[in-house]
Amino acid sequence: MSACVGRIGLMTELSFSQQVYQVVRRIPRGKVATYGQVASLTGHPRNARFVGYALHDNPEPGVIPCHRVVFRDGSLAPGFAFGGPERQRQLLEDEGVHFVPPRSDESAGADGWVVDLDRCRWKA
């Protein structure tokens, strides 16, 4: 078996969670991605909910920056596993992520403010 075939085989053997962690590691400081965006980048565009499950079990908090993943409207996860939405917001603000009040047709995070996706969404 050639090395190239071996590498391709390895890529297909990664679990969905491992694929999620690889994508999330690439989100730059000061940017966010949505759960759906991460799912699409793993090749599983309809698995946004499972991205959340994978991140809830993040094996390397601080290395895999799960705080950079938000809902499609920019709101924060009420169940952020590593300190709640207030901690997630603090981590994002420390990185320079901007928040704005939600439009009237949006749901919003715990305090009603959402990430400014126009300015801070990662262009993967």
Side-chain angles (χ1 to χ4, degrees):
M1 179 183 326
S2 75
C4 195
V5 172
R7 286 192 190 117
I8 292 171
L10 178 63
M11 289 301 292
T12 61
E13 293 175 16
L14 291 177
S15 72
F16 178 73
S17 292
Q18 290 169 323
Q19 292 174 40
V20 167
Y21 302 145
Q22 282 187 344
V23 169
V24 173
R25 278 187 179 104
R26 294 177 27 225
I27 303 169
R29 185 176 174 82
K31 297 293 181 182
V32 298
T34 65
Y35 290 96
Q37 182 181 1
V38 172
S40 291
L41 290 169
T42 67
H44 301 91
R46 299 173 83 63
N47 286 5
R49 183 177 304 267
F50 295 104
V51 169
Y53 295 148
L55 294 178
H56 190 75
D57 291 331
N58 182 349
E60 298 178 271
V63 175
I64 301 169
C66 59
H67 65 281
R68 295 181 187 151
V69 182
V70 300
F71 289 122
R72 68 179 172 214
D73 66 352
S75 61
L76 306 180
F80 179 66
F82 304 99
E86 295 80 16
R87 178 67 181 141
Q88 183 180 12
R89 180 173 177 165
Q90 185 62 56
L91 290 167
L92 291 171
E93 286 181 331
D94 289 350
E95 294 182 356
V97 172
H98 298 273
F99 286 77
V100 296
R103 295 188 306 249
S104 61
D105 62 335
E106 292 178 329
S107 61
D111 63 0
W113 287 67
V114 297
V115 170
D116 184 348
L117 292 175
D118 291 335
R119 291 177 69 179
C120 298
R121 184 191 304 253
W122 178 40
K123 309 287 193 255

